[in-house]
Short mmCIF file of all heavy atoms in Angstrom, two decimals:
data_model
loop_
_atom_site.label_atom_id
_atom_site.label_comp_id
_atom_site.label_asym_id
_atom_site.label_seq_id
_atom_site.Cartn_x
_atom_site.Cartn_y
_atom_site.Cartn_z
N MET N 1 109.85 102.34 124.48
CA MET N 1 109.20 102.48 123.19
C MET N 1 107.77 101.96 123.30
O MET N 1 107.52 100.95 123.92
CB MET N 1 109.98 101.71 122.13
CG MET N 1 109.38 101.77 120.76
SD MET N 1 110.41 100.91 119.56
CE MET N 1 110.26 102.03 118.22
N ASN N 2 106.85 102.66 122.66
CA ASN N 2 105.45 102.25 122.66
C ASN N 2 105.26 101.08 121.71
O ASN N 2 105.51 101.19 120.52
CB ASN N 2 104.58 103.44 122.25
CG ASN N 2 103.11 103.15 122.38
OD1 ASN N 2 102.70 102.00 122.49
ND2 ASN N 2 102.31 104.19 122.37
N LYS N 3 104.78 99.95 122.21
CA LYS N 3 104.64 98.77 121.37
C LYS N 3 103.46 98.87 120.41
O LYS N 3 103.32 98.05 119.54
CB LYS N 3 104.51 97.53 122.25
CG LYS N 3 105.78 97.25 123.01
CD LYS N 3 105.69 95.96 123.77
CE LYS N 3 106.95 95.79 124.56
NZ LYS N 3 107.52 94.50 124.48
N GLY N 4 102.60 99.86 120.57
CA GLY N 4 101.47 100.03 119.67
C GLY N 4 101.81 100.77 118.39
O GLY N 4 101.00 100.86 117.50
N ILE N 5 103.03 101.28 118.28
CA ILE N 5 103.44 102.02 117.09
C ILE N 5 104.26 101.13 116.18
O ILE N 5 105.17 100.44 116.63
CB ILE N 5 104.25 103.27 117.48
CG1 ILE N 5 103.39 104.22 118.30
CG2 ILE N 5 104.78 103.97 116.24
CD1 ILE N 5 104.14 105.43 118.82
N LYS N 6 103.92 101.13 114.90
CA LYS N 6 104.66 100.35 113.92
C LYS N 6 105.11 101.29 112.82
O LYS N 6 104.34 102.14 112.38
CB LYS N 6 103.77 99.25 113.35
CG LYS N 6 104.52 98.17 112.65
CD LYS N 6 103.64 96.96 112.43
CE LYS N 6 104.50 95.80 112.11
NZ LYS N 6 103.75 94.56 112.02
N TYR N 7 106.34 101.16 112.37
CA TYR N 7 106.91 102.01 111.35
C TYR N 7 107.09 101.23 110.05
O TYR N 7 107.35 100.03 110.08
CB TYR N 7 108.27 102.56 111.79
CG TYR N 7 108.17 103.46 112.99
CD1 TYR N 7 108.35 102.95 114.26
CD2 TYR N 7 107.88 104.80 112.84
CE1 TYR N 7 108.24 103.76 115.38
CE2 TYR N 7 107.77 105.62 113.94
CZ TYR N 7 107.96 105.10 115.21
OH TYR N 7 107.84 105.90 116.30
N PHE N 8 106.94 101.92 108.92
CA PHE N 8 107.09 101.31 107.61
C PHE N 8 108.02 102.15 106.75
O PHE N 8 107.94 103.38 106.77
CB PHE N 8 105.73 101.20 106.90
CG PHE N 8 104.77 100.27 107.58
CD1 PHE N 8 103.90 100.74 108.55
CD2 PHE N 8 104.75 98.93 107.28
CE1 PHE N 8 103.01 99.90 109.18
CE2 PHE N 8 103.87 98.07 107.90
CZ PHE N 8 103.01 98.56 108.86
N GLY N 9 108.87 101.48 105.98
CA GLY N 9 109.68 102.13 104.97
C GLY N 9 109.15 101.70 103.61
O GLY N 9 108.91 100.52 103.39
N ILE N 10 108.94 102.65 102.71
CA ILE N 10 108.34 102.36 101.41
C ILE N 10 109.23 102.91 100.30
O ILE N 10 109.68 104.05 100.36
CB ILE N 10 106.94 103.00 101.30
CG1 ILE N 10 106.03 102.46 102.41
CG2 ILE N 10 106.32 102.72 99.94
CD1 ILE N 10 104.71 103.17 102.51
N ASP N 11 109.49 102.07 99.30
CA ASP N 11 110.26 102.46 98.11
C ASP N 11 109.40 102.15 96.89
O ASP N 11 109.08 100.99 96.64
CB ASP N 11 111.58 101.71 98.07
CG ASP N 11 112.41 102.06 96.86
OD1 ASP N 11 112.29 103.20 96.36
OD2 ASP N 11 113.18 101.20 96.40
N ILE N 12 109.02 103.17 96.15
CA ILE N 12 108.14 102.99 95.00
C ILE N 12 108.92 103.22 93.71
O ILE N 12 109.60 104.22 93.56
CB ILE N 12 106.95 103.97 95.06
CG1 ILE N 12 106.14 103.70 96.33
CG2 ILE N 12 106.06 103.81 93.84
CD1 ILE N 12 105.04 104.69 96.58
N SER N 13 108.84 102.24 92.80
CA SER N 13 109.46 102.39 91.49
C SER N 13 108.39 102.15 90.42
O SER N 13 107.22 101.95 90.73
CB SER N 13 110.61 101.40 91.32
OG SER N 13 110.13 100.08 91.29
N GLN N 14 108.78 102.16 89.16
CA GLN N 14 107.82 102.04 88.07
C GLN N 14 107.14 100.67 88.05
O GLN N 14 105.95 100.57 87.77
CB GLN N 14 108.52 102.29 86.74
CG GLN N 14 107.57 102.35 85.56
CD GLN N 14 108.25 102.76 84.27
OE1 GLN N 14 109.43 102.99 84.24
NE2 GLN N 14 107.49 102.84 83.21
N LYS N 15 107.86 99.59 88.36
CA LYS N 15 107.30 98.25 88.24
C LYS N 15 106.85 97.63 89.57
O LYS N 15 105.92 96.84 89.58
CB LYS N 15 108.32 97.33 87.57
CG LYS N 15 108.58 97.70 86.14
CD LYS N 15 109.46 96.69 85.45
CE LYS N 15 109.68 97.08 84.01
NZ LYS N 15 110.44 96.09 83.28
N VAL N 16 107.52 97.96 90.67
CA VAL N 16 107.18 97.37 91.96
C VAL N 16 107.28 98.41 93.06
O VAL N 16 107.88 99.46 92.88
CB VAL N 16 108.11 96.18 92.33
CG1 VAL N 16 107.97 95.04 91.35
CG2 VAL N 16 109.55 96.63 92.45
N PHE N 17 106.67 98.11 94.21
CA PHE N 17 106.99 98.89 95.39
C PHE N 17 107.28 97.96 96.54
O PHE N 17 106.69 96.90 96.69
CB PHE N 17 105.95 99.97 95.70
CG PHE N 17 104.58 99.49 96.09
CD1 PHE N 17 104.23 99.33 97.42
CD2 PHE N 17 103.63 99.26 95.12
CE1 PHE N 17 102.96 98.93 97.77
CE2 PHE N 17 102.36 98.85 95.47
CZ PHE N 17 102.02 98.69 96.80
N ASP N 18 108.29 98.33 97.31
CA ASP N 18 108.80 97.52 98.41
C ASP N 18 108.41 98.16 99.73
O ASP N 18 108.44 99.38 99.87
CB ASP N 18 110.33 97.46 98.35
CG ASP N 18 110.83 96.91 97.02
OD1 ASP N 18 110.35 95.85 96.61
OD2 ASP N 18 111.71 97.55 96.42
N VAL N 19 108.05 97.32 100.69
CA VAL N 19 107.67 97.79 102.02
C VAL N 19 108.43 96.97 103.05
O VAL N 19 108.49 95.75 102.98
CB VAL N 19 106.16 97.64 102.26
CG1 VAL N 19 105.78 98.12 103.65
CG2 VAL N 19 105.36 98.35 101.20
N THR N 20 109.04 97.66 104.02
CA THR N 20 109.69 97.01 105.15
C THR N 20 109.08 97.60 106.42
O THR N 20 108.92 98.81 106.53
CB THR N 20 111.20 97.28 105.14
OG1 THR N 20 111.74 96.82 103.91
CG2 THR N 20 111.89 96.54 106.28
N ASP N 21 108.72 96.72 107.38
CA ASP N 21 108.15 97.24 108.62
C ASP N 21 109.18 97.23 109.73
O ASP N 21 110.30 96.74 109.57
CB ASP N 21 106.87 96.50 109.00
CG ASP N 21 107.08 95.04 109.35
OD1 ASP N 21 108.20 94.63 109.68
OD2 ASP N 21 106.08 94.29 109.32
N SER N 22 108.79 97.79 110.87
CA SER N 22 109.72 97.93 112.00
C SER N 22 110.09 96.60 112.63
O SER N 22 111.03 96.52 113.42
CB SER N 22 109.13 98.87 113.04
OG SER N 22 107.85 98.43 113.44
N ASP N 23 109.38 95.52 112.27
CA ASP N 23 109.74 94.18 112.76
C ASP N 23 110.73 93.48 111.85
O ASP N 23 111.15 92.35 112.12
CB ASP N 23 108.48 93.32 112.89
CG ASP N 23 107.53 93.84 113.94
OD1 ASP N 23 107.99 94.44 114.93
OD2 ASP N 23 106.31 93.65 113.77
N GLY N 24 111.09 94.12 110.73
CA GLY N 24 112.05 93.54 109.80
C GLY N 24 111.41 92.71 108.70
O GLY N 24 112.12 92.07 107.93
N ASN N 25 110.08 92.73 108.60
CA ASN N 25 109.39 92.00 107.53
C ASN N 25 109.48 92.78 106.24
O ASN N 25 109.40 94.01 106.24
CB ASN N 25 107.92 91.77 107.89
CG ASN N 25 107.78 90.94 109.14
OD1 ASN N 25 108.41 89.89 109.27
ND2 ASN N 25 106.97 91.39 110.06
N TYR N 26 109.63 92.07 105.12
CA TYR N 26 109.80 92.68 103.81
C TYR N 26 108.69 92.19 102.89
O TYR N 26 108.39 91.00 102.84
CB TYR N 26 111.17 92.31 103.24
CG TYR N 26 111.37 92.73 101.81
CD1 TYR N 26 111.64 94.04 101.48
CD2 TYR N 26 111.27 91.80 100.79
CE1 TYR N 26 111.81 94.43 100.16
CE2 TYR N 26 111.44 92.17 99.47
CZ TYR N 26 111.71 93.48 99.17
OH TYR N 26 111.88 93.86 97.86
N TYR N 27 108.08 93.12 102.16
CA TYR N 27 107.01 92.79 101.21
C TYR N 27 107.30 93.50 99.90
O TYR N 27 107.84 94.60 99.89
CB TYR N 27 105.65 93.27 101.73
CG TYR N 27 105.34 92.80 103.12
CD1 TYR N 27 105.63 93.61 104.22
CD2 TYR N 27 104.77 91.56 103.35
CE1 TYR N 27 105.34 93.20 105.50
CE2 TYR N 27 104.49 91.13 104.63
CZ TYR N 27 104.77 91.95 105.71
OH TYR N 27 104.50 91.54 106.97
N GLN N 28 106.92 92.86 98.79
CA GLN N 28 107.06 93.49 97.48
C GLN N 28 105.77 93.29 96.70
O GLN N 28 105.23 92.19 96.65
CB GLN N 28 108.23 92.89 96.70
CG GLN N 28 108.50 93.64 95.41
CD GLN N 28 109.73 93.11 94.68
OE1 GLN N 28 109.67 92.03 94.12
NE2 GLN N 28 110.81 93.87 94.72
N PHE N 29 105.26 94.37 96.11
CA PHE N 29 104.01 94.35 95.36
C PHE N 29 104.24 94.88 93.96
O PHE N 29 105.04 95.79 93.77
CB PHE N 29 102.96 95.23 96.06
CG PHE N 29 102.70 94.85 97.48
CD1 PHE N 29 103.37 95.50 98.51
CD2 PHE N 29 101.80 93.85 97.80
CE1 PHE N 29 103.13 95.16 99.83
CE2 PHE N 29 101.56 93.50 99.11
CZ PHE N 29 102.23 94.16 100.13
N LYS N 30 103.51 94.32 92.99
CA LYS N 30 103.59 94.83 91.62
C LYS N 30 102.88 96.17 91.57
O LYS N 30 101.84 96.37 92.19
CB LYS N 30 102.93 93.85 90.65
CG LYS N 30 103.72 92.58 90.47
CD LYS N 30 103.06 91.69 89.45
CE LYS N 30 103.90 90.43 89.28
NZ LYS N 30 103.31 89.52 88.29
N ASN N 31 103.45 97.10 90.83
CA ASN N 31 102.89 98.43 90.68
C ASN N 31 102.20 98.46 89.33
O ASN N 31 102.79 98.75 88.30
CB ASN N 31 104.00 99.47 90.76
CG ASN N 31 103.48 100.87 90.92
OD1 ASN N 31 102.29 101.06 91.06
ND2 ASN N 31 104.36 101.84 90.88
N ASN N 32 100.89 98.13 89.32
CA ASN N 32 100.16 98.09 88.05
C ASN N 32 98.82 98.80 88.19
O ASN N 32 98.34 99.07 89.29
CB ASN N 32 99.95 96.63 87.58
CG ASN N 32 99.28 95.77 88.62
OD1 ASN N 32 98.68 96.26 89.55
ND2 ASN N 32 99.37 94.47 88.44
N GLU N 33 98.20 99.08 87.06
CA GLU N 33 96.89 99.72 87.06
C GLU N 33 95.82 98.65 87.23
O GLU N 33 95.93 97.55 86.73
CB GLU N 33 96.67 100.44 85.73
CG GLU N 33 97.60 101.61 85.52
CD GLU N 33 97.31 102.35 84.23
OE1 GLU N 33 96.14 102.37 83.82
OE2 GLU N 33 98.26 102.88 83.65
N LEU N 34 94.76 99.01 87.93
CA LEU N 34 93.65 98.06 88.13
C LEU N 34 92.53 98.32 87.17
O LEU N 34 92.30 99.35 86.70
CB LEU N 34 93.13 98.17 89.57
CG LEU N 34 94.16 97.80 90.63
CD1 LEU N 34 93.57 98.04 92.02
CD2 LEU N 34 94.59 96.37 90.50
#
């Protein structure tokens, strides 16, 4: 496997969006207007 490639899974909902990367890290961001 090429170590320079990173994969992300993204789930977007009305209030938040969740991101998980190929290293198993999990992030959650508020989905709001700026």
Side-chain angles (χ1 to χ4, degrees):
M1 179 177 220
N2 187 344
K3 293 185 183 225
I5 297 176
K6 196 165 197 174
Y7 296 94
F8 295 90
I10 301 172
D11 179 29
I12 299 174
S13 67
Q14 187 173 1
K15 294 186 179 185
V16 297
F17 65 94
D18 303 309
V19 179
T20 303
D21 66 20
S22 55
D23 295 329
N25 298 312
Y26 172 77
Y27 308 94
Q28 187 176 72
F29 303 96
K30 290 183 179 181
N31 193 5
N32 55 17
E33 294 183 31
L34 297 176

